[in-house]
C-alpha cells in the first residue's frame, strides 16, 4: 500500500487524486493533506480519508480543526508545507498547490529521495536550476510530471534515447480566446476569461490558459524537466485537447500521448509509474466523437506569454523567477478586477525589463530565488495594485 501526501487537496488536482484513491482504497493510504481556504471541503476529506497530518493556511483554521480532530498533527502556512514534507511518513508526495509556495515542499521531498508527483509547474519555472542541482545530489529522487503536457512528453520518451529527440511539441487548446485579436481582448471580463472550452481547472491556471502564459511556463518547465534546449521545444495549438503533447525523433517518427481532457490520467500515471493501473474514475475515449483533430500555429503577437517565456528561459538564472512572480500577481489583480486582461503582459514585461539577472550557481540559490520572488511581487503590487 502506497502512502500518499497531497499538498493542495482541496484544489482541482487534489480532488481528482482523491477520487482515484477512493476508487482503489486497497492500493493507497492518504497520510497527509493540505488545504487553503476551503476548510469545509478539507473537513470532509479528513472525515473520509482519516489522514495523520494536515496543513492549513491560517492559524485560526488549525485551532478550529484541531479542537475536533485531536489525533491529527497540524501544520500551518508556507512553513507548514515545508514541514509536512520534511517530517511526515509518505512514499509519494503530490505537489498540487498553486504558485511558488510549492517549492519548499518539493525541496524537502527531494532531500528525502521520495517520489514527487509534480503538478506545481512554478517549482521548475522559478527554481528549476536549483532543483536540478539538488537532483544530482539526491539521485534516488523521482520527479514524475503531472501536468498533462509534461506527462505526455514523459510517456512519449519511455523506451527511447534522449539523444534521438529532434524536438518536443507542446500542445495548447488555444484557451478561451483562440482566434481573437488584440482589439477583441481589450475589454474582456474575468467571467469571460474563466470559461475554458475544454478543461475544468482552478481560476489561476484558467487565466494562464487564456493568456497562453501557461504555455510559456510549460516551455520553461519542459526545458528544466527534460534538459532539452529551448530551440528544440515548440508550441502548437490543438483545439480539441486530445493529443496532450508529442515528441519528434530524428528519424521523423512522432510519438504522442492521447486521451480525454481529464487530469486523472496523468495523476494516476505519476502514482503508478512504471506500471499502469485501471481506475473506474477515468473515462474511456470514444473516437467516434473525435473525428476531426486539427492543429494551427500559436498567435504569438496577440498572446505574448509564449515569447516572454522563451526570453526568460534563455536569459536564465533569476529571470524565470521574475516571470513567474509577476504573472502570479498580475493574474490575481485581474481576478480582483484591478487591471485589464492585456495588462498582464505589460506587467510581466515591465518586471523582466527592470530586473538585473542574478546567478543561481551559488549555495544560496534558493534564498536568492525567494528574495527575487518577494521583491518582484512587492514592486508589481505597489505600482498596479492600487
Amino acid at each position: 500500500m502506497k502512502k500518499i501526501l497531497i499538498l493542495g487537496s482541496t484544489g482541482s488536482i487534489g480532488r481528482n487524486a482523491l477520487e482515484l484513491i477512493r476508487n482503489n482504497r486497497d492500493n493507497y493510504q492518504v497520510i497527509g493533506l493540505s488545504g487553503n481556504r476551503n476548510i469545509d471541503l478539507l473537513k470532509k476529506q479528513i472525515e473520509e480519508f482519516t489522514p495523520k497530518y494536515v496543513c492549513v493556511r491560517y492559524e485560526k483554521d488549525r485551532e478550529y480543526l484541531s479542537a475536533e480532530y485531536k489525533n491529527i498533527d497540524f501544520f500551518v502556512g508556507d512553513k507548514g508545507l515545508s514541514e509536512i514534507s520534511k517530517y511526515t511518513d509518505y512514499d509519494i508526495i503530490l505537489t498540487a498547490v498553486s504558485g511558488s509556495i510549492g517549492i519548499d515542499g518539493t525541496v524537502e521531498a527531494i532531500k528525502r529521495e521520495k517520489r514527487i508527483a509534480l503538478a506545481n509547474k512554478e517549482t521548475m519555472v522559478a527554481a528549476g536550476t536549483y532543483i536540478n542541482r539538488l537532483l544530482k545530489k539526491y539521485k534516488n529522487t523521482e520527479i514524475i510530471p503531472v501536468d498533462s503536457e509534461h506527462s505526455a512528453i514523459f510517456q512519449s520518451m519511455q523506451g527511447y534515447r534522449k539523444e534521438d529527440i529532434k524536438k518536443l511539441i507542446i500542445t495548447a487548446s488555444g484557451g478561451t480566446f483562440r482566434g481573437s485579436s488584440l482589439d477583441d481582448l481589450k475589454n474582456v471580463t474575468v467571467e469571460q476569461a474563466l470559461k475554458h472550452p475544454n478543461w475544468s481547472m482552478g481560476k489561476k491556471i484558467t487565466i494562464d490558459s487564456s493568456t497562453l502564459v501557461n504555455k510559456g511556463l510549460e516551455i520553461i518547465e519542459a526545458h528544466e524537466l527534460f534538459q532539452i534546449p529551448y530551440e528544440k521545444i515548440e508550441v502548437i495549438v490543438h483545439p480539441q485537447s486530445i493529443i496532450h503533447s508529442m515528441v519528434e525523433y530524428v528519424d521523423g517518427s512522432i510519438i504522442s500521448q492521447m486521451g480525454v481532457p481529464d487530469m486523472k490520467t496523468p495523476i494516476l500515471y505519476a502514482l503508478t509509474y512504471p506500471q499502469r493501473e485501471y481506475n473506474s474514475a477515468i473515462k474511456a475515449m470514444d473516437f467516434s466523437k473525435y473525428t476531426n483533430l486539427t492543429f494551427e500555429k500559436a498567435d504569438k503577437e496577440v498572446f505574448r506569454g509564449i515569447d516572454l517565456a522563451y526570453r526568460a528561459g534563455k536569459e536564465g538564472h533569476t529571470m524565470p523567477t521574475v516571470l513567474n512572480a509577476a504573472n502570479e500577481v498580475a493574474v490575481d489583480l485581474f481576478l480582483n478586477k484591478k487591471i485589464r486582461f492585456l495588462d498582464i503582459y505589460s506587467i510581466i514585461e515591465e518586471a523582466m525589463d527592470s530586473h538585473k539577472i542574478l546567478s543561481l550557481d551559488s549555495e544560496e540559490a534558493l534564498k536568492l530565488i525567494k528574495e527575487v520572488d518577494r521583491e518582484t511581487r512587492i514592486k508589481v503590487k505597489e505600482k498596479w495594485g492600487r
Side-chain angles (χ1 to χ4, degrees):
M1 180 176 283
K2 297 173 183 176
K3 298 176 182 178
I4 311 295
L5 169 62
I6 301 176
L7 304 187
S9 67
T10 57
S12 175
I13 298 293
R15 296 195 306 271
N16 277 314
L18 289 174
E19 184 177 350
L20 292 167
I21 292 169
R22 181 182 295 118
N23 286 353
N24 203 343
R25 292 295 189 101
D26 292 339
N27 286 356
Y28 305 101
Q29 178 186 2
V30 177
I31 286 293
L33 301 171
S34 85
N36 191 5
R37 292 185 176 89
N38 195 342
I39 298 302
D40 289 340
L41 177 56
L42 181 60
K43 190 173 179 180
K44 291 177 182 178
Q45 292 173 347
I46 291 170
E47 293 282 353
E48 180 177 1
F49 294 98
T50 61
K52 295 181 180 179
Y53 313 101
V54 171
C55 182
V56 291
R57 184 68 175 159
Y58 303 107
E59 176 62 28
K60 64 180 178 63
D61 294 324
R62 185 200 67 79
E63 292 175 358
Y64 166 65
L65 291 173
S66 62
E68 185 166 351
Y69 302 104
K70 299 185 183 300
N71 293 327
I72 292 177
D73 290 334
F74 284 89
F75 301 83
V76 181
D78 294 353
K79 183 180 180 182
L81 286 176
S82 176
E83 290 176 338
I84 198 172
S85 301
K86 184 176 183 178
Y87 297 117
T88 62
D89 177 30
Y90 57 90
D91 301 309
I92 302 173
I93 180 172
L94 171 61
T95 57
V97 292
S98 178
S100 59
I101 61 170
I103 295 174
D104 282 346
T106 302
V107 167
E108 295 301 337
I110 290 171
K111 291 178 179 178
R112 296 181 66 187
E113 296 187 304
K114 299 294 186 178
R115 172 174 292 189
I116 302 161
L118 186 64
N120 174 260
K121 63 168 56 71
E122 291 83 1
T123 293
M124 298 308 293
V125 172
T129 301
Y130 174 72
I131 295 294
N132 280 317
R133 192 158 70 242
L134 271 186
L135 290 172
K136 290 178 181 178
K137 182 177 180 180
Y138 300 98
K139 298 182 183 297
N140 292 323
T141 305
E142 292 180 296
I143 291 185
I144 313 296
V146 170
D147 275 349
S148 61
E149 295 83 1
H150 302 92
S151 176
I153 291 170
F154 182 78
Q155 293 182 58
S156 298
M157 291 173 64
Q158 298 306 304
Y160 301 96
R161 302 190 310 165
K162 192 164 99 172
E163 54 264 40
D164 291 336
I165 293 173
K166 183 177 180 181
K167 63 182 174 181
L168 308 183
I169 304 169
I170 299 174
T171 56
S173 68
T176 312
F177 304 119
R178 181 175 67 90
S180 298
S181 67
L182 285 172
D183 283 340
D184 295 331
L185 299 179
K186 283 181 178 178
N187 297 306
V188 299
T189 66
V190 171
E191 291 74 20
Q192 289 171 326
L194 288 173
K195 292 179 180 178
H196 195 283
N198 298 334
W199 294 88
S200 175
M201 306 177 290
K203 289 184 179 181
K204 195 266 182 183
I205 184 60
T206 304
I207 299 301
D208 283 348
S209 179
S210 69
T211 61
L212 289 194
V213 168
N214 71 318
K215 291 301 133 181
L217 298 176
E218 287 166 12
I219 289 166
I220 298 174
E221 185 181 6
H223 168 77
E224 297 292 355
L225 280 172
F226 306 117
Q227 297 293 284
I228 299 294
Y230 284 103
E231 293 74 18
K232 293 185 176 183
I233 305 173
E234 72 173 48
V235 171
I236 189 165
V237 174
H238 169 52
Q240 295 80 24
S241 297
I242 297 301
I243 295 176
H244 298 304
S245 277
M246 300 173 268
V247 178
E248 182 177 350
Y249 291 90
V250 291
D251 65 352
S253 297
I254 299 176
I255 309 298
S256 69
Q257 186 266 333
M258 304 172 67
V260 294
D262 188 326
M263 289 303 299
K264 294 185 185 69
T265 297
I267 295 168
L268 184 62
Y269 187 74
L271 298 181
T272 64
Y273 170 82
Q275 286 78 35
R276 293 184 183 269
E277 178 183 285
Y278 170 77
N279 194 294
S280 61
I282 296 177
K283 298 177 182 177
M285 184 171 163
D286 182 354
F287 277 92
S288 67
K289 295 181 180 179
Y290 300 97
T291 58
N292 188 29
L293 302 183
T294 62
F295 306 92
E296 59 195 61
K297 288 185 177 181
D299 188 343
K300 296 179 183 178
E301 292 185 8
V302 174
F303 300 98
R304 297 196 295 124
I306 293 175
D307 281 342
L308 286 169
Y310 274 121
R311 172 190 160 189
K314 289 177 180 180
E315 292 182 5
H317 291 284
T318 52
M319 190 59 86
T321 304
V322 172
L323 167 77
N324 180 69
N327 178 64
E328 284 190 23
V329 177
V331 169
D332 186 64
L333 291 172
F334 174 68
L335 286 170
N336 286 287
K337 303 183 179 180
K338 292 185 176 181
I339 63 170
R340 295 173 299 174
F341 183 80
L342 291 176
D343 288 336
I344 294 173
Y345 300 124
S346 300
I347 289 172
I348 296 171
E349 187 170 34
E350 183 180 89
M352 290 172 60
D353 287 344
S354 64
H355 178 62
K356 183 178 179 181
I357 297 174
L358 302 172
S359 173
L360 294 180
D361 291 333
S362 73
E363 292 301 316
E364 297 294 312
L366 185 57
K367 180 180 177 182
L368 194 59
I369 289 165
K370 291 180 179 180
E371 289 175 357
V372 169
D373 179 89
R374 182 180 62 83
E375 291 172 2
T376 301
R377 292 170 189 273
I378 290 171
K379 288 178 181 178
V380 173
K381 289 175 183 177
E382 285 179 348
K383 179 171 181 179
W384 295 87
R386 299 170 185 169

